Amino acid sequence: MYCGHDLLSIIYFNELEKEIESLNLYTIGTWKEGRKMEETLPLSVSHVNKSLVLTNRLYMLLHFTALCFLVYYRLCFFFQDPQTREAPLFPWLLVFASEIILSFIWILDQAFRWHPISRTVFPERLPQDHNLPPLDVFICTADPTKEPTLDVMNTLLSAMALDYPPEKLHLYVSDDGGSPVTLNAMKEASKFARWWLPFCTRYRIECRCPKAYFSISESHGGDFDGSFEFLADKKMIKEKYEAFEEGIKRVKEDQDNSGDTTVKRGQNHPPVIEVIQENSCSEIEQVKLPFLVYVSREKKPSQPHHFKAGALNALYRVSAVISNAPYILVLDCDMFCNSPASARQALCFHLNPQISPSLAFVQFPQKYHNISKNDIYDSQHRSAYKVLWQGMDGLMGPVLSGTGFYMKRESLYGNYKIKDTDLELQQYVGKSNEFIKSLNQNCTTDSVTVGRTLPLKETLLLASCDYEIGTQWGKEVGFLYGTVCEDVHTGFILNCNGWNSVLCDPPEAQFLGNSTTNLNDLLVQGTRWYCGLLDIGLSRFCPLICGPLRMSLLQSLCYAQLTYFPLYCLPLWCLAIVPQLCLLSGIPLYPKVSDPFFFIFLFIPLSALTKHLSEVLSTGGTFRKWIIEQRIWMIVSITSHLYGCLDAILKKFGLKDASFLPTNKVEDEEQTRLYQMDKYDFRTSNMFLVPMVALITINISCFIGGIYRVVSVGNWDQMFMQLLLTSHIIVFNYPIIEGLLIRKDVGRIYPSLPLVITSNILATTITCTLYSLLKKV
């Protein structure tokens, strides 16, 4: 028998038990809900800056309205009585045509600013390591002379050290030069990696490029900076790296001194494919290394090799029968991984179920470690990655930019799924049965093992010159041929086929490379780029014709702006000559200061310059940076744009073959010194110097003569715009005058006899020809 006290205790404990049970149920339910919420959290989100969008669209409206008034003013000229016109017809037509071209490019350019967005990723929400997909890495090099082998190996080591499961990482180096130096260096790099990778992992090193890491003065070991063990390990690893560096240099010197012709066989060599597997010695701890493959595709002088696009396609085929990873990172040989996090950041998009089905690639911005404070050559391409690519990201995504992108393998296989028979597949992708099998296989650990024991004959076939003959490689499959700008062309066709892309621009640079730090490399590289871009604009893949039928109109306008950007050379050459000669002749081409239309003509350039200045300042630039970008745009337009257009036109009519010269990435101490001092290095070809010197000579002469005429005649109100234009060109291009007349260092414009004669002949010919035409017409 229970007493009253006991009964109350039992009731109390029963109630307490029920409360605890309900609390446990609530806790379990809350945990399940939290777990479910965690699983459904997005891997990435996009942000729209509404104030920027509103500002951009208001600017478009005002500037476009002003352009309409400008066109109206120019057209009214043709309805005037020829006897009462203040200006001849010919210069008026030239200036009007230039303004139409500038307006056309401006309209195309506004598509980038219609809906810019930014993105944020959450790598911590990715699946566990064992659930991550395999990843292939492609690194391309072509010339060990212009692309130092040590830099290539540093890029390779930084990619091997990515924060990614090593058993899921496979690296392929394409050596288009077929150099034994590169193959030997890869074997040495594999040995050094057994020391380097554990060091990076143990001390959580962020910069995993050895050359960049050891060039930093501070320890940069994070929480281990004061650790004796860390400092000792760092000293030991540095000694290992210096020995590795000396070994590569010694092999290169021996190869150069031996006179072995194999180092010069870049255009004629058989395919070579070798899996790099180094046995670890007892002093090195057992460490898992990524899978490493050397690939040198076959090249013959009699057969086209299609430059970088051909090398990438060879890697695509070879890797498909070895590792066949669903995602591929493509890197230039000098673009090392500055942070190990890029793979996980890219997978935040590729594994996002909302965008993954139609996502072709994730593009990271190209950034550079050798940029000076003021970047006098605009080598970091601020406008492209901070404005244009973000604008395209709000449409269908940025263009493919050659390096630093994670590509979905399936996106470059074209329409292979609609091929019903093996014969049709062979005609589409080639006769390799192993490659055809790989089209419908996912990469697994077993498949990579099989790939390692694959008969060498199969991989050599895939890397041969003859394999692509009679197939759709370069036409519908893989990276596309027909232009040296294979990246833009391929990205455009991917968009046409319904694929999208995204820009991933985290605060910390994920990839860093070597940029051009002298004028010669800048203009040579620019000529190649602009020729390739105009090739696309003049082909059957013209964005204005092919684009709107297969993608959004705004995305088509973005591609059109890129492909027709070289046409800037036409209006800039015209506006650097015609208004100046008319100033000298007293021929007004613009409204008087008292004319209401004067404010339209003043508003248009001020509007464009102010918009550019605001974009520079809002993306971390300075007023001086704005001046530099304007200057480089002028210099490049009258040189690289011009020669790029000429090359593209000659190729279109079959009068010139396509050519590709790798940009020189060998560091020159004198060039670097001038660059760091913000002095332009004018040691370049006369084909670039002559237009600059001739046009600056014309502008200075016409400005002095124009001032004298205005003072004598007193018609400053009619000539104000032409004086303003001429002075703008002279002021912004002052470094050319300085290099020609003031500087005495090695980077000055040396007044050689050929330069002086050619520049004077060009300036005199232009002046005399146009001056006579201005008087007659």
Side-chain angles (χ1 to χ4, degrees):
M1 178 179 290
Y2 297 108
C3 64
H5 178 73
D6 293 332
L7 183 62
L8 287 174
S9 298
I10 292 172
I11 294 173
Y12 172 76
F13 281 113
N14 284 340
E15 292 295 329
L16 184 61
E17 206 172 70
K18 290 179 180 179
E19 287 185 13
I20 293 174
E21 184 178 356
S22 64
L23 182 62
N24 287 338
L25 289 173
Y26 172 77
T27 304
I28 293 172
T30 304
W31 179 83
K32 287 182 177 179
E33 289 181 6
R35 181 67 177 174
K36 184 177 181 182
M37 184 180 297
E38 184 180 349
E39 290 176 354
T40 57
L41 286 174
L43 292 172
S44 63
V45 294
S46 60
H47 315 277
V48 179
N49 189 335
K50 294 183 179 179
S51 60
L52 177 61
V53 171
L54 180 62
T55 303
N56 285 347
R57 295 182 183 182
L58 180 60
Y59 160 74
M60 294 176 202
L61 177 63
L62 294 175
H63 196 93
F64 182 76
T65 303
L67 289 178
C68 292
F69 279 109
L70 180 148
V71 173
Y72 171 77
Y73 175 83
R74 291 297 187 193
L75 290 176
C76 287
F77 174 84
F78 300 107
F79 297 98
Q80 296 176 5
D81 185 353
Q83 302 299 324
T84 59
R85 289 175 181 167
E86 293 184 347
L89 179 62
F90 183 64
W92 194 276
L93 279 175
L94 288 178
V95 172
F96 186 29
S98 299
E99 292 166 346
I100 290 296
I101 295 174
L102 289 174
S103 300
F104 168 70
I105 298 177
W106 178 86
I107 291 172
L108 298 178
D109 195 48
Q110 300 319 297
F112 294 104
R113 293 163 175 81
W114 185 255
H115 190 251
I117 66 171
S118 57
R119 298 181 185 271
T120 304
V121 295
F122 305 98
E124 66 276 6
R125 299 174 184 172
L126 285 170
Q128 296 297 319
D129 283 3
H130 64 275
N131 290 326
L132 292 176
L135 179 66
D136 288 347
V137 180
F138 293 171
I139 300 173
C140 295
T141 182
D143 187 343
T145 303
K146 292 189 174 183
E147 298 169 337
T149 305
L150 181 63
D151 289 350
V152 180
M153 293 305 107
N154 271 276
T155 299
L156 175 65
L157 287 164
S158 70
M160 293 176 72
L162 282 172
D163 180 18
Y164 209 76
E167 66 275 8
K168 294 176 179 287
L169 198 58
H170 323 100
L171 292 95
Y172 298 82
V173 174
S174 170
D175 178 22
D176 253 14
S179 171
V181 176
T182 304
L183 177 58
N184 178 78
M186 284 184 66
K187 295 177 180 178
E188 296 301 317
S190 179
K191 295 177 183 178
F192 175 70
R194 294 189 177 275
W195 297 95
W196 176 245
L197 268 61
F199 174 75
C200 293
T201 304
R202 182 182 304 118
Y203 298 110
R204 297 193 291 274
I205 304 299
E206 278 298 308
C207 179
R208 299 191 176 183
C209 171
K211 182 179 179 180
Y213 176 74
F214 290 120
S215 66
I216 301 173
S217 57
E218 299 178 6
S219 297
H220 285 272
D223 299 334
F224 304 95
D225 275 349
S227 166
F228 175 79
E229 183 182 3
F230 165 72
L231 294 176
D233 282 352
K234 181 182 177 182
K235 181 180 179 182
M236 183 266 293
I237 296 296
K238 187 174 182 180
E239 291 173 354
K240 297 286 184 183
Y241 174 72
E242 290 172 350
F244 163 67
E245 181 180 9
E246 287 300 320
I248 291 179
K249 290 181 179 178
R250 185 168 55 254
V251 172
K252 180 69 168 61
E253 291 173 358
D254 291 343
Q255 208 51 262
D256 293 340
N257 296 332
S258 67
D260 189 353
T261 58
T262 56
V263 298
K264 299 180 181 179
R265 59 177 185 170
Q267 301 301 318
N268 187 15
H269 58 80
V272 178
I273 297 175
E274 185 171 334
V275 175
I276 309 298
Q277 291 177 309
E278 293 295 335
N279 296 323
S280 61
C281 56
S282 57
E283 63 172 324
I284 305 177
E285 61 182 285
Q286 293 296 325
V287 57
K288 289 184 178 179
L289 290 182
F291 192 55
L292 190 58
V293 184
Y294 170 86
V295 178
S296 180
R297 60 177 173 142
E298 182 183 24
K299 294 177 76 174
K300 296 179 181 178
S302 59
Q303 293 184 337
H305 53 83
H306 304 294
F307 315 115
K308 183 180 176 181
L312 287 173
N313 284 341
L315 289 182
Y316 242 77
R317 294 190 295 270
V318 171
S319 65
V321 298
I322 297 178
S323 55
N324 199 31
Y327 303 106
I328 299 169
L329 167 62
V330 177
L331 293 174
D332 280 347
C333 62
D334 65 323
M335 188 66 66
F336 66 82
C337 301
N338 182 58
S339 169
S342 66
R344 296 179 183 272
Q345 291 176 351
L347 288 181
C348 288
F349 298 105
H350 277 303
L351 300 184
N352 187 339
Q354 297 178 350
I355 61 175
S356 179
S358 62
L359 181 62
F361 62 90
V362 178
Q363 178 68 61
F364 286 83
Q366 294 183 27
K367 298 182 180 181
Y368 306 95
H369 63 86
N370 61 335
I371 297 296
S372 66
K373 178 181 178 181
N374 293 311
D375 187 19
I376 58 173
Y377 297 112
D378 189 28
S379 299
Q380 60 185 341
H381 310 296
R382 179 209 57 84
S383 177
Y385 295 109
K386 293 296 185 182
V387 179
L388 305 188
W389 272 217
Q390 285 191 359
M392 294 185 76
D393 201 17
L395 303 173
M396 293 183 68
V399 299
L400 203 59
S401 301
T403 181
F405 61 87
Y406 285 82
M407 176 72 70
K408 181 183 292 183
R409 181 182 289 272
E410 182 187 5
S411 65
L412 289 183
Y413 280 159
N415 297 319
Y416 77 93
K417 291 183 178 180
I418 65 173
K419 307 301 176 183
D420 297 326
T421 65
D422 288 344
L423 179 60
E424 288 181 339
L425 269 177
Q426 288 180 354
Q427 293 174 345
Y428 195 68
V429 298
K431 297 181 179 180
S432 171
N433 292 326
E434 292 291 338
F435 178 78
I436 291 175
K437 289 178 184 178
S438 73
L439 296 177
N440 297 311
Q441 289 179 349
N442 293 323
C443 175
T444 63
T445 305
D446 293 337
S447 69
V448 177
T449 304
V450 172
R452 292 181 182 180
T453 59
L454 191 73
L456 183 62
K457 183 178 179 181
E458 190 74 20
T459 55
L460 294 179
L461 170 66
L462 293 167
S464 66
C465 286
D466 299 331
Y467 185 81
E468 294 183 355
I469 297 176
T471 69
Q472 293 302 308
W473 281 98
K475 300 173 185 176
E476 296 183 27
V477 183
F479 287 86
L480 305 185
Y481 304 152
T483 171
V484 293
C485 288
E486 77 290 329
D487 45 5
V488 178
H489 188 196
T490 303
F492 174 68
I493 297 302
L494 285 172
N495 281 160
C496 288
N497 292 337
W499 293 97
N500 296 328
S501 59
V502 298
L503 175 70
C504 185
D505 188 10
E508 183 180 6
Q510 297 300 300
F511 303 100
L512 288 176
N514 289 321
S515 188
T516 52
T517 56
N518 64 84
L519 192 63
N520 182 67
D521 287 349
L522 173 74
L523 299 181
V524 170
Q525 184 184 67
T527 301
R528 184 178 74 238
W529 284 352
Y530 300 126
C531 172
L533 290 173
L534 195 58
D535 279 341
I536 301 171
L538 298 178
S539 70
R540 63 186 180 93
F541 300 105
C542 169
L544 291 179
I545 298 175
C546 183
L549 301 176
R550 305 173 67 181
M551 67 176 72
S552 69
L553 176 61
L554 289 175
Q555 187 80 354
S556 299
L557 295 181
C558 290
Y559 276 105
Q561 194 272 352
L562 294 173
T563 56
Y564 295 122
F565 191 78
L567 295 181
Y568 265 127
C569 68
L570 302 177
L572 261 67
W573 266 89
C574 180
L575 295 177
I577 298 173
V578 176
Q580 289 75 0
L581 295 181
C582 289
L583 171 64
L584 195 63
S585 305
I587 301 173
L589 296 177
Y590 298 94
K592 299 178 181 179
V593 175
S594 57
D595 191 324
F597 278 96
F598 169 81
F599 297 99
I600 296 296
F601 279 82
L602 186 63
F603 171 80
I604 290 173
L606 288 180
S607 169
L609 291 173
T610 303
K611 177 61 176 171
H612 181 214
L613 177 60
S614 68
E615 290 178 348
V616 171
L617 296 178
S618 65
T619 53
T622 62
F623 182 79
R624 184 173 183 179
K625 176 62 178 172
W626 171 71
I627 294 176
I628 289 171
E629 289 190 11
Q630 287 287 321
R631 177 186 302 136
I632 291 299
W633 170 64
M634 295 181 194
I635 291 175
V636 169
S637 292
I638 63 172
T639 54
S640 294
H641 287 179
L642 175 65
Y643 295 125
C645 287
L646 292 176
D647 282 353
I649 293 172
L650 291 175
K651 285 167 57 180
K652 184 68 178 177
F653 290 100
L655 301 177
K656 184 177 181 180
D657 294 330
S659 61
F660 178 88
L661 293 175
T663 304
N664 188 6
K665 298 178 175 68
V666 179
E667 294 184 4
D668 184 292
E669 292 184 2
E670 187 63 33
Q671 289 178 353
T672 302
R673 185 182 67 83
L674 290 172
Y675 176 65
Q676 295 296 334
M677 294 171 60
D678 294 340
K679 291 183 178 292
Y680 288 89
D681 187 354
F682 289 105
R683 290 177 293 176
T684 184
S685 169
N686 281 345
M687 67 178 285
F688 296 124
L689 289 177
V690 166
M692 289 190 284
V693 174
L695 290 183
I696 203 69
T697 302
I698 290 174
N699 276 265
I700 293 174
S701 302
C702 291
F703 182 75
I704 296 173
I707 289 289
Y708 176 79
R709 185 182 183 89
V710 166
V711 172
S712 302
V713 178
N715 60 341
W716 67 272
D717 58 333
Q718 288 183 315
M719 298 298 171
F720 180 79
M721 284 296 294
Q722 284 157 260
L723 283 170
L724 185 63
L725 173 62
T726 308
S727 60
H728 175 81
I729 293 174
I730 294 172
V731 170
F732 273 71
N733 291 281
Y734 170 75
I736 299 177
I737 303 172
E738 181 186 40
L740 188 62
L741 302 176
I742 301 175
R743 286 172 53 185
K744 301 299 181 183
D745 55 78
V746 295
R748 73 189 191 279
I749 301 178
Y750 186 75
S752 62
L753 188 62
L755 174 63
V756 173
I757 293 176
T758 310
S759 301
N760 286 329
I761 289 176
L762 179 61
T764 304
T765 303
I766 292 173
T767 303
C768 294
T769 303
L770 288 179
Y771 195 81
S772 60
L773 289 173
L774 297 179
K775 291 297 185 180
K776 292 180 181 179
V777 183

